[in-house]
Amino acid sequence: MLIVRKIREMQSIAETVRKDKIIGFVPTMGFLHEGHLSLVRKSKEMTDVTVVSIFVNPIQFGPNEDFEMYPRDLERDRSLLEKEKVDVLFIPEKDEMYGEDYKTYVRVQEMEDYLCGKTRKGHFQGVATVVTKLFNIVKPHLAFFGQKDYQQLKIIEKLVRDLNMDVNIVACPTIREPDGLAMSSRNTYLSQEERKKAQHIYMALIKAEELFKKGERNAKKLVEEARNLLSSVEGLEIEYISVVDCETLEELEWINDSGVVAIACRIGKTRLIDNTILRRYEHDESHDEIKDSQGKGY
Ligand code: AMP
């Protein structure tokens, strides 16, 4: 695995490789887990050369957030990526990405204000900016993102469309612990007791899914049931539970064909997010027919 620290070097490698190979890119902030590795495996499957970046992006953290204490373990990450046969690991320093005179930021209006954007001011501007820079550096054909960070995924898809970037975004499913908790580098902050409480987030999403499958379409009802479940967990503070449009992320009152239930909460000092997509009609690729959520064919 080639380790690259300099932007110029990464760009020149990408330029050469791109001539006759498909480049897959997985941007991360490190402290890798199976969720990250699932994106890496998808890239290995779909492309010729896989580039992974590890960069804890300072401009997506607010002043009172966990930039300094964000978990880091480069040696462990490096050996995990070696095992996955990743071709290039790009690990720029902060100063390499943002010089002293740095001035340019990318914003995706409205979409950055919903859900996590309400409390994490400037977060998605930081994400959109770093992803734009990384795309210009790594020049990927395909870039892989997790559904776990649903708002981030949709903002990046929009950014790529609006700015006519020559890259395809591949959305990958959320990888979970056996009890359902979505894998996250931040799970490492949880004490044993907090970790047990955290599984209720997934249970609340399942509850909403079940109601939806039974025919409930009123978003308020789904939110209420999920809220009831989470409110009973001592020490768990709900930041939001929302049902939003899958593309625009606007809050829904009523779910017609699809919607996303998104949850953010705090357990102790740890902020956790998760979501599930509700769809009335599932597209079953194996049979190439439209099915509703109860499996009835059309
Ligand atoms: P991060 O290192 O947290 O910035 O995440 C890097 C990429 O991994 C993002 O595209 C995330 O959405 C994705 N990711 C994080 N956790 C998971 C997970 N549990 N399942 C699938 N993808 C994930």
Side-chain angles (χ1 to χ4, degrees):
M1 184 172 69
L2 192 60
I3 310 256
V4 178
R5 291 187 163 80
K6 296 291 170 203
I7 291 171
R8 271 267 159 252
E9 188 190 353
M10 187 64 244
Q11 281 173 319
S12 124
I13 292 167
E15 195 64 37
T16 313
V17 171
R18 241 187 110 86
K19 287 188 182 131
D20 57 358
K21 289 196 168 62
I22 300 296
I23 302 180
F25 178 40
V26 181
T28 81
M29 298 206 299
F31 211 72
L32 304 178
H33 50 67
E34 280 296 312
H36 297 114
L37 298 181
S38 73
L39 310 189
V40 169
R41 287 171 198 143
K42 195 78 195 161
S43 172
K44 293 287 298 177
E45 198 183 299
M46 293 179 70
T47 71
D48 303 317
V49 171
T50 292
V51 181
V52 175
S53 66
I54 295 179
F55 180 60
V56 185
N57 176 34
I59 69 163
Q60 72 185 65
F61 288 80
N64 299 316
E65 292 183 359
D66 56 346
F67 174 69
E68 293 299 340
M69 69 178 287
Y70 195 83
R72 295 162 168 90
D73 189 344
L74 186 57
E75 273 322 299
R76 183 175 157 275
D77 289 350
R78 187 175 162 161
S79 97
L80 285 171
L81 295 174
E82 293 264 15
K83 274 195 205 115
E84 298 297 330
K85 302 201 163 39
V86 164
D87 300 285
V88 182
L89 172 58
F90 179 53
I91 39 171
E93 289 290 336
K94 195 167 87 181
D95 295 348
E96 178 75 0
M97 291 293 276
Y98 303 106
E100 256 175 40
D101 60 341
Y102 193 82
K103 296 278 187 248
T104 308
Y105 296 90
V106 181
R107 293 184 51 185
V108 180
Q109 291 182 350
E110 290 165 26
M111 291 175 80
E112 65 176 14
D113 298 327
Y114 305 132
L115 301 170
C116 294
K118 284 189 191 150
T119 49
R120 302 192 74 189
K121 296 280 175 224
H123 169 68
F124 290 108
Q125 169 176 302
V127 170
T129 302
V130 80
V131 169
T132 303
K133 285 168 70 69
L134 288 168
F135 283 177
N136 284 331
I137 296 165
V138 175
K139 306 175 197 274
H141 296 88
L142 301 180
F144 298 80
F145 290 86
Q147 188 204 304
K148 152 81 171 39
D149 301 281
Y150 192 83
Q151 187 172 14
Q152 167 175 289
L153 167 68
K154 289 293 141 176
I155 284 177
I156 289 162
E157 285 178 353
K158 185 77 175 103
L159 157 80
V160 162
R161 281 200 303 276
D162 284 357
L163 296 183
N164 312 105
M165 290 179 172
D166 196 7
V167 51
N168 285 297
I169 304 301
V170 182
C172 303
T174 302
I175 304 298
R176 299 178 178 282
E177 299 287 357
D179 68 354
L181 176 68
M183 290 195 179
S184 163
S185 307
R186 287 189 170 103
N187 291 351
T188 181
Y189 296 151
L190 299 168
S191 69
Q192 248 180 5
E193 205 182 318
E194 290 172 336
R195 172 65 188 78
K196 274 197 204 128
K197 293 178 179 172
Q199 64 178 308
H200 290 86
I201 302 168
Y202 183 61
M203 287 160 67
L205 292 173
I206 293 289
K207 180 90 203 171
E209 275 180 16
E210 282 170 2
L211 289 171
F212 181 77
K213 275 191 193 145
K214 282 187 195 149
E216 183 60 77
R217 297 291 178 265
N218 184 340
K220 262 205 195 111
K221 286 269 165 57
L222 300 183
V223 169
E224 199 178 286
E225 288 292 328
R227 191 175 286 281
N228 284 344
L229 195 149
L230 284 180
S231 309
S232 67
V233 183
E234 205 188 312
L236 185 152
E237 186 194 321
I238 301 167
E239 188 180 294
Y240 65 74
I241 304 175
S242 293
V243 179
V244 299
D245 181 273
C246 293
E247 294 305 316
T248 65
L249 306 178
E250 279 168 303
E251 188 115 10
L252 294 179
E253 280 182 16
W254 193 259
I255 307 162
N256 289 320
D257 289 337
S258 63
V260 175
V261 186
I263 296 180
C265 58
R266 271 173 202 285
I267 303 179
K269 284 197 185 117
T270 311
R271 185 177 181 280
L272 298 171
I273 57 170
D274 202 349
N275 66 80
T276 186
I277 304 176
L278 305 176
R279 269 188 227 289
R280 188 155 163 212
Y281 303 108
E282 278 167 31
H283 188 225
D284 183 339
E285 281 170 36
S286 61
H287 296 92
D288 205 34
E289 64 174 7
I290 305 290
K291 279 185 173 176
D292 73 7
S293 57
Q294 271 130 46
K296 220 188 304 159
Y298 285 83

